[in-house]
Amino acid sequence: MNEGLRTVYADLHIHIGRTEAGAPVKISGSRDLTFFNIAREASVRKGIDVTGIIDCQSPAVQDEIERYLEAGEMEELAGGGIRYGNTTVLLGSELEVKDPGCGPAHLLCFLPKLSAMKEFTAWLSTRMKNVSLSSQRVYALARELQAETVSLGGLVIPAHIFTPHKSLYGSCCSRMEEVLDPEDVAAVELGLSSNTDMADTIPELRRHAYVTNSDAHSLGKIAREYNAFRLTAPTFEEVAKALRGEDGRGIEANYGLKPQLGKYHRTYCERCDALVELEDGQTEKKCPACGSGRIVRGVFDRIAALAKPDDAAAAARAAMHRPPYRNQVPLEFVPGLGPKKREALLERFGTEMNILHRVPEAELAETVGAGPAAVIAAARTGDVAVASGGGGRYGKIK
């Protein structure tokens, strides 16, 4: 049953900026983020085997997919997903929900087939103001959206669950069951400012699989966070099995930014223009330095407020069964590695996955010099020092 299992790299959260005709999909996304360009970038330059494109509820995007299928440039797989080159695209949608008494949160909903996504679009069209745009509000309860997705054979993953803007724990609620049925949550997405150890301090999360994804708004950001799955083939059905840990499938590792590099890791005061250091038990309603209420709550402090420190032993037991979380430093974060040097690396070594995981440090140094090569090598073991990010600003490698 377990024969033929192999490691597959997957980034499940990539936005479409525009259609090929120029119509907006994700307003804040790059114009060159089209369905085809994402598939090509993931396959040719990034070396990502599975990518989740999460604005596929747009009818215009569906029309583009059909054209590529009819032309034979892409293929719909029997196990679910759209094949282009060396990459399988999972069809998804990021949607906003806001239940009564709760703040807004984003959910990722994935469907196995284009036909299922079209049914999903028909359901959404009567509950959204503009089904063509990304991350729009669905005027239905979160559990209703979840149930519809599951009824179509889909997967529901709460997005970037701790970030201060539009996430399950960051802005919506304090318990998952307040808005969702935990039994039908396929996994949770950690987001750029947290990691496995931080999330496992919250007892109710220990039952769920964790995924780390890029939430890319430009081609260059694809695979800044990703996952290593153990699958027999890169298909929707195999990914679903991996998230459930069935038949030998599973998550081998999560590759995410060191949480301090995330732009919402620490609480930030907009008036002071500085990170806010909170003491244990201190609320973050006001800046302790200037008293301003204009602060952006950091993921670190939000998790600390939700965590159960008296349950450290249980967290440790949960961690024993988790795949490793490996601190990932994308090439664009490496000091001294500008666009020309990145292109030189890609020209010589093919894909970012090769550069980040496989190429010896000495060979990297031959192409870009000892300094950048040393950072890439050190990042493989997490041995890099960073200055924390917050308030929408990324951290930096020292």
Side-chain angles (χ1 to χ4, degrees), residues 224-239:
R224 62 179 170 181
E225 293 204 347
Y226 53 94
N227 313 276
F229 291 147
R230 184 172 59 255
L231 312 175
T232 61
T235 67
F236 179 95
E237 290 179 357
E238 286 286 302
V239 169

Side-chain angles (χ1 to χ4, degrees), residues 104-136:
H106 283 183
L107 303 178
L108 304 178
C109 301
F110 294 96
L111 281 303
K113 298 280 188 175
L114 181 58
S115 58
M117 181 57 76
K118 287 185 172 183
E119 287 187 57
F120 191 53
T121 295
W123 184 85
L124 290 172
S125 64
T126 62
R127 295 164 176 85
M128 293 174 64
K129 292 183 178 179
N130 190 341
V131 76
S132 296
L133 293 180
S134 171
S135 310
Q136 298 297 292

Side-chain angles (χ1 to χ4, degrees), residues 7 27 30 56 103 118 134 144 169-170 251 285 340 345 359 365 378:
T7 298
I27 302 298
S30 172
C56 294
K118 287 185 172 183
S134 171
E144 293 174 343
Y169 296 109
I251 303 172
K285 293 181 180 179
K340 290 184 179 179
L345 285 173
V359 179

Side-chain angles (χ1 to χ4, degrees), residues 24 36 44 70 74 76 109-110 119 129 160 200 258 263 289 318 345 353 369:
F36 177 82
V44 176
E70 290 169 359
M74 296 184 181
E76 188 158 36
C109 301
F110 294 96
E119 287 187 57
K129 292 183 178 179
H160 42 72
D200 268 342
K258 201 166 186 175
K263 59 183 180 179
L345 285 173
M353 293 301 103

Side-chain angles (χ1 to χ4, degrees), residues 64-275:
E64 289 181 8
I65 296 171
E66 285 195 318
R67 288 199 297 272
Y68 284 110
L69 292 174
E70 290 169 359
E73 296 182 53
M74 296 184 181
E75 173 192 6
E76 188 158 36
L77 301 176
I82 305 290
R83 187 74 171 168
Y84 170 80
N86 297 318
T87 295
T88 298
V89 176
L90 301 189
L91 305 180
S93 179
E94 183 175 33
L95 298 160
E96 181 177 315
V97 292
K98 188 180 185 304
D99 283 10
C102 298
H106 283 183
L107 303 178
L108 304 178
C109 301
F110 294 96
L111 281 303
K113 298 280 188 175
L114 181 58
S115 58
M117 181 57 76
K118 287 185 172 183
E119 287 187 57
F120 191 53
T121 295
W123 184 85
L124 290 172
S125 64
T126 62
R127 295 164 176 85
M128 293 174 64
K129 292 183 178 179
N130 190 341
V131 76
S132 296
L133 293 180
S134 171
S135 310
Q136 298 297 292
R137 175 75 57 82
V138 178
Y139 293 93
L141 294 176
R143 284 176 183 259
E144 293 174 343
L145 174 61
Q146 181 185 33
E148 179 65 19
T149 304
V150 172
S151 74
L152 292 170
L155 304 173
V156 175
I157 299 176
H160 42 72
I161 57 172
F162 299 117
T163 53
H165 307 297
K166 299 183 179 181
S167 75
L168 184 69
Y169 296 109
S171 59
C172 177
C173 61
S174 295
R175 296 290 305 276
M176 182 185 293
E177 64 185 15
E178 294 177 39
V179 293
L180 293 170
D181 181 354
E183 295 294 331
D184 283 332
V185 170
V188 297
E189 183 184 64
L190 295 175
L192 304 183
S193 297
S194 67
N195 62 16
T196 293
D197 289 342
M198 294 169 68
D200 268 342
T201 63
I202 301 173
E204 71 175 15
L205 287 179
R206 294 174 195 153
R207 62 182 290 188
H208 294 289
Y210 296 157
V211 292
T212 49
N213 302 307
S214 68
D215 193 1
H217 286 50
S218 65
L219 289 175
K221 293 291 194 298
I222 294 173
R224 62 179 170 181
E225 293 204 347
Y226 53 94
N227 313 276
F229 291 147
R230 184 172 59 255
L231 312 175
T232 61
T235 67
F236 179 95
E237 290 179 357
E238 286 286 302
V239 169
K241 284 186 175 183
L243 296 179
R244 295 191 294 264
E246 292 180 355
D247 299 335
R249 281 73 164 174
I251 303 172
E252 290 185 345
N254 302 119
Y255 291 88
L257 294 182
K258 201 166 186 175
Q260 292 87 342
L261 287 173
K263 59 183 180 179
Y264 295 111
H265 182 66
R266 297 308 302 264
T267 298
Y268 181 87
C269 177
E270 294 180 332
R271 178 183 289 176
C272 292
D273 194 26
L275 300 183

